[in-house]
Amino acid sequence: MSTVTEPVAIRLPPPRSETGVVGWLRANLFSSWFNTVLTVVVGAIAVWALWFALRWLLVDADFTVVSTLGGLLLIGQYNTDLSCPGQNCFWRPQAALLLVTILLGMSWAIAGSGLTKRIAIAVAVVIALFAFLPYSLERMGWDVRLLLLANVPALLLGWALARYTALGTWRWVSILAVVAFLLILVLLRGLPGVPGLQPVSVLHWGGLMLNLLLAVAGIVVSFPIGIALALGRRSRLPVVKLLCVVFIEVFRGVPLITLLFMSQVLVPLAFPENFPLNSLLRAAIIITLFSAAYMAENIRGGLQALHPGQAEAARALGLPGWQTTLLISLPQAIRNVIPAIVGQFIALFKDTSLVYIIGMLDIVELSRKFATTYVENGMLPYLDDVHEVFIFLAVVFWIFCFGMSYVSGRIERHLGVGER
């Protein structure tokens, strides 16, 4: 009896037109006549816009106006004769920057290699590179350049402190971060009677330094306030719930620029008559409370998204209500709404540019006043001649906002947000 052998099927590779780059283009951009026409039209418009943008950027643009502003974009009028007469105050913001770099070095040592290490090294190196800007020694002396270069050894000092001392824990880093922030405020504000620390009015604080101070204070303080408001709105106590609902809805229903303007009149009413208040404190209070109201709704959304079985299982184990909230419900809720929380932080950072309404010169308002003054004095014929400044500002804000978004994405992937 003879056996018949069936031929073995030969597996052929897929057509080249359906794999790789060609396959992706065919499936996504040229899958039909309509998509083909749309791709060609949009591509032509994009190439046309890119051509004119690159030609302006490489040929017509003049970014010397940015270098003319120089340090004003960073610290405003802080180191001028008007704000700091008879002495140089340039070292105070740079000393504050060294404290931040030390904290980054400590975080690097605790977290090990990874995102924290790359951020710490990048910040220290970029700051040190500012020492090599092509300015004359009259405009940027050796003292300023050496303080900028000192950020690299400061980073290594922070790494060594966390690696070889008892300070190498996140608890100590958090405590030292709060102490450093308060010390930075003291350095910038000054102390009467202390040599070299002559008080500098907050009216002369400005530039990117002002935006960062308001953003950091608002982010750090609004987060716990927002958690408290979210828990209060879910409380079974009618008075607590009503107060939280009124607070949240009032601050969410009024524009921030209106609240900043009203802070000149309303905020002093909450303090004693002789209590020292300034524009910076008023702006920080309003921005923090405004952000806390939105933060409360983000946290409340995360709490409502949890399955009720989580709390029921905790009660079955005998956990009291506060432990159920702090140890089970709240950590999961915060983890689930990390994108919304970081989005609120990004919005807060951009909203700091609205402090111009109370007379503070942040980096955007400082640039606008510079441009307007140049046009009024006839140094520039049109306001459009300084649009390089505003493009530079857009890039600066994008770097900070994209940085927060990138860190948020890494944290989400690490915690498995939306996966489990």
Side-chain angles (χ1 to χ4, degrees):
M1 183 176 182
S2 61
T3 58
V4 179
T5 57
E6 297 181 358
V8 179
I10 300 176
R11 182 174 298 177
L12 298 176
R16 293 183 179 180
S17 60
E18 296 182 4
T19 59
V21 178
V22 176
W24 184 90
L25 291 174
R26 182 176 181 180
N28 295 276
L29 300 181
F30 301 98
S31 58
S32 64
W33 70 268
F34 178 77
N35 287 343
T36 301
V37 173
L38 190 62
T39 299
V40 172
V41 172
V42 174
I45 295 175
V47 170
W48 176 79
L50 185 63
W51 164 258
F52 281 96
L54 289 177
R55 189 179 67 174
W56 175 84
L57 184 64
L58 299 177
V59 179
D60 300 329
D62 184 9
F63 285 94
T64 55
V65 64
V66 177
S67 61
T68 302
L69 280 172
L72 289 176
L73 290 174
L74 299 178
I75 61 175
Q77 304 179 69
Y78 187 87
N79 190 35
T80 60
D81 293 333
L82 179 63
S83 61
C84 202
Q87 62 175 329
N88 286 326
C89 297
F90 72 91
W91 65 271
R92 299 192 200 176
Q94 295 191 355
L97 201 56
L98 290 175
L99 294 177
V100 175
T101 308
I102 291 175
L103 290 173
L104 288 175
M106 297 180 67
S107 302
W108 167 21
I110 297 173
S113 60
L115 179 62
T116 306
K117 175 184 176 180
R118 292 195 293 269
I119 292 177
I121 294 177
V123 170
V125 171
V126 169
I127 294 174
L129 289 177
F130 278 102
F132 299 98
L133 288 175
Y135 288 146
S136 62
L137 291 179
E138 290 78 12
R139 187 171 182 185
M140 179 186 285
W142 284 111
D143 46 2
V144 178
R145 298 178 189 269
L146 290 176
L147 281 174
L148 290 173
L149 291 173
N151 283 274
V152 174
L155 178 69
L156 300 178
L157 174 62
W159 183 88
L161 285 175
R163 186 68 180 270
Y164 300 110
T165 66
L167 301 178
T169 62
W170 287 117
R171 178 182 179 183
W172 272 109
V173 170
S174 301
I175 295 174
L176 292 176
V178 176
V179 174
F181 184 76
L182 297 177
L183 184 58
I184 288 172
L185 293 180
V186 173
L187 274 174
L188 297 177
R189 186 69 176 90
L191 292 174
V194 178
L197 287 179
Q198 179 180 345
V200 177
S201 173
V202 296
L203 295 177
H204 299 130
W205 296 18
L208 184 61
M209 175 184 70
L210 178 62
N211 295 91
L212 291 177
L213 286 174
L214 290 173
V216 171
I219 289 172
V220 172
V221 180
S222 68
F223 186 65
I225 295 178
I227 293 177
L229 289 171
L231 296 177
R233 187 162 187 170
R234 290 167 55 89
S235 174
R236 297 179 181 178
L237 300 176
V239 177
V240 174
K241 183 176 182 178
L242 178 62
L243 291 176
C244 292
V245 169
V246 171
F247 178 91
I248 292 172
E249 297 304 330
V250 167
F251 275 87
R252 291 177 68 213
V254 181
L256 177 58
I257 194 170
T258 304
L259 292 172
L260 287 170
F261 184 77
M262 294 169 61
S263 67
Q264 299 296 313
V265 179
L266 297 182
V267 171
L269 298 179
F271 295 89
E273 184 176 355
N274 297 326
F275 191 84
L277 281 175
N278 51 56
S279 300
L280 180 64
L281 182 58
R282 296 177 187 181
I285 291 174
I286 293 300
I287 290 176
T288 300
L289 296 180
F290 183 83
S291 180
Y294 283 88
M295 187 64 62
E297 291 300 279
N298 293 333
I299 300 296
R300 188 171 69 91
L303 290 170
Q304 290 183 338
L306 294 179
H307 194 279
Q310 300 277 346
E312 293 172 0
R315 286 195 296 269
L317 292 174
L319 293 179
W322 66 272
Q323 286 187 343
T324 302
T325 300
L326 295 180
L327 302 179
I328 296 179
S329 300
L330 197 56
Q332 296 184 76
I334 294 176
R335 169 181 169 272
N336 292 335
V337 294
I338 287 178
I341 291 175
V342 176
Q344 180 58 35
F345 289 164
I346 293 174
L348 187 152
F349 174 65
K350 293 187 292 185
D351 286 344
T352 57
S353 60
L354 296 176
V355 294
Y356 78 91
I357 197 67
I358 55 177
M360 305 198 73
L361 297 179
D362 72 299
I363 186 172
V364 178
E365 180 65 9
L366 189 71
S367 302
R368 189 193 66 81
K369 280 188 172 295
F370 169 83
T372 304
T373 302
Y374 264 44
V375 173
E376 291 177 351
N377 293 337
M379 302 176 67
L380 292 172
Y382 303 105
L383 191 61
D384 290 341
D385 292 331
V386 290
H387 48 263
E388 290 88 349
V389 176
F390 299 102
I391 293 177
F392 174 78
L393 295 182
V395 173
V396 170
F397 274 91
W398 179 84
I399 291 174
F400 281 96
C401 295
F402 176 77
M404 287 188 280
S405 178
Y406 178 75
V407 173
S408 170
R410 293 295 298 268
I411 294 175
E412 292 171 30
R413 287 192 293 271
H414 177 73
L415 297 177
V417 177
E419 298 177 2
R420 61 180 187 272

